[in-house]
Amino acid sequence: MPDSHADRSAADHNHVFLRADHARNEQRTWWVIWICTAMMLIEVIGGSLYGSIALVADGLHMSTHAGALLLAALAYRYARKHADDPRFSFGTGKFGDLAGFSSAIILAMIALLIGFEAVRRFFAPVTIDFAQALPIAGLGLVVNVVSALILGLGHDHHHDHGHHHGHDHDHDHDHDHDHNHAATGRDNNMRAAVVHVATDAAVSVLVIVGLLLARAFGWLWMDPVVGIVGALVIASWAFGLIHDTGAILLDMTPDRKLVRRLRETIEADGDELSDLHLWRLGPGHLGAILSVRSATGMSPDAYRQKLAGFTSLSHLTIEVRMR
């Protein structure tokens, strides 16, 4: 019997591997950009008019987050507009991961700058104008909390069930690992945007605590200490994001337990899964290429039916050879 090979035809599916809430997340990101930009202009103009270098500095700091969010919004827009572009063999689902990776690099650089300045101030303390610094920190916290609420801190806990290709659910499968797994369904573009505002909010809280302690007890060293802690928090979140998005961009296997489940399903009747490639195409979408050594001469479509319960497999190619 000759070797046989099957892939989903164009009639079976398209190559749009985006989350169902892609457009909504794009709109939310633009809202936060306008808020951050307005806040930045108010601080820079107000600081310039009233001679507050602290206000100007915070406005410029806000501009870095507005820039990172702009990167996220543009990635959403580009992925949406070019979702059907045939030049992208596996769609534009990874644009969000690319933007998230770039945004994480920006976060890491911010952490280094904050850490450097904090260490410098620890050895060379500067006078703190508490009357100006505390309101600025408080206003920054309010803006970031509002931004986080708009973006939706819990967005990754609500997975979409409507963007697969009509498979019935096989409840014998381990759905913790084959249907919208947290890492598979995560929107890293939105995650990066949330991390930006969340880190800024966390640092604002630390700054407020440090300033209050410094004013109450004269502990000027608390300000740089808080800066170092804040830099470490930002760096930790940044490197976590770099690790996750980098793995996706390099097509690392997204879920080893899913690989095991696939192998068990294919080999249940004595066949052999001789080769398997599994990678993420976009949030909630996986691609897979399988090479099966068949003991029974089953067709590729028959194996495809066996895998129907793995609903995160949005693009599946199966090669069958006789043992």
Side-chain angles (χ1 to χ4, degrees):
M1 176 179 176
D3 296 345
S4 55
H5 174 277
D7 195 357
R8 297 188 195 275
S9 67
D12 292 327
H13 78 302
N14 55 39
H15 288 81
V16 179
F17 302 126
L18 306 176
R19 280 173 59 126
D21 58 358
H22 184 93
R24 182 179 64 181
N25 286 345
E26 178 185 347
Q27 188 60 53
R28 287 179 175 181
T29 306
W30 282 112
W31 289 343
V32 175
I33 289 172
W34 298 127
I35 292 174
C36 289
T37 301
M39 181 66 186
M40 174 193 71
L41 292 174
I42 290 171
E43 289 185 325
V44 171
I45 294 173
S48 300
L49 291 176
Y50 299 108
S52 172
I53 188 61
L55 201 57
V56 173
D58 195 66
L60 294 177
H61 172 70
M62 185 67 71
S63 71
T64 63
H65 292 289
L69 291 167
L70 179 61
L71 178 64
L74 292 176
Y76 275 127
R77 176 170 292 182
Y78 190 90
R80 174 173 53 82
K81 288 191 172 183
H82 295 270
D84 293 311
D85 192 329
R87 293 177 300 172
F88 298 102
S89 298
F90 291 104
T92 57
K94 285 187 179 180
F95 269 95
D97 301 300
L98 179 60
F101 182 85
S102 303
S103 193
I105 297 294
I106 296 173
L107 269 176
M109 294 175 65
I110 291 174
L112 286 174
L113 291 174
I114 293 176
F116 175 80
E117 180 63 18
V119 170
R120 188 182 70 82
R121 290 196 178 195
F122 189 83
F123 293 102
V126 299
T127 302
I128 301 174
D129 188 340
F130 295 104
Q132 287 189 1
L134 278 168
I136 292 171
L139 185 58
L141 176 60
V142 170
V143 169
N144 283 294
V145 168
V146 171
S147 297
L149 291 174
I150 292 174
L151 293 174
L153 285 173
H155 71 280
D156 277 334
H157 297 291
H158 303 285
H159 299 304
D160 170 62
H161 294 263
H163 56 255
H164 298 294
H165 301 289
H167 299 309
D168 294 329
H169 290 184
D170 180 357
H171 293 284
D172 291 333
H173 289 302
D174 181 358
H175 283 261
D176 287 337
H177 300 287
D178 66 11
H179 182 57
N180 288 316
H181 184 279
T184 300
R186 179 183 294 147
D187 182 345
N188 283 314
N189 198 21
M190 177 57 68
R191 178 186 172 197
V194 170
V195 166
H196 266 280
V197 296
T199 52
D200 212 23
V203 170
S204 294
V205 171
L206 291 173
V207 168
I208 291 171
V209 172
L211 289 173
L212 290 174
L213 290 174
R215 185 176 67 176
F217 302 103
W219 298 344
L220 295 181
W221 51 268
M222 276 298 300
D223 186 60
V225 166
V226 163
I228 293 173
V229 172
L232 292 174
V233 170
I234 295 174
S236 175
W237 290 359
F239 286 117
L241 190 55
I242 289 172
H243 175 271
D244 292 345
T245 54
I248 293 170
L249 294 174
L250 293 173
D251 290 331
M252 288 183 66
T253 300
D255 190 343
R256 292 185 180 275
K257 291 185 178 180
L258 176 56
V259 170
R260 176 178 58 80
R261 296 291 298 174
L262 286 169
R263 184 174 296 278
E264 290 174 351
T265 302
I266 290 294
E267 298 183 345
D269 298 320
D271 297 326
E272 177 188 352
L273 182 61
S274 58
D275 195 18
L276 169 63
H277 300 276
L278 183 72
W279 71 101
R280 197 176 106 142
L281 301 167
H285 299 273
L286 297 178
I289 300 175
L290 291 77
S291 181
V292 182
R293 292 188 180 275
S294 176
T296 59
M298 290 173 56
S299 68
D301 284 339
Y303 287 105
R304 191 183 307 283
Q305 186 60 38
K306 290 182 69 172
L307 300 178
F310 294 87
T311 53
S312 58
L313 295 181
S314 299
H315 194 286
L316 181 60
T317 301
I318 301 176
E319 177 188 55
V320 180
R321 299 183 179 183
M322 290 299 296
R323 296 185 65 173

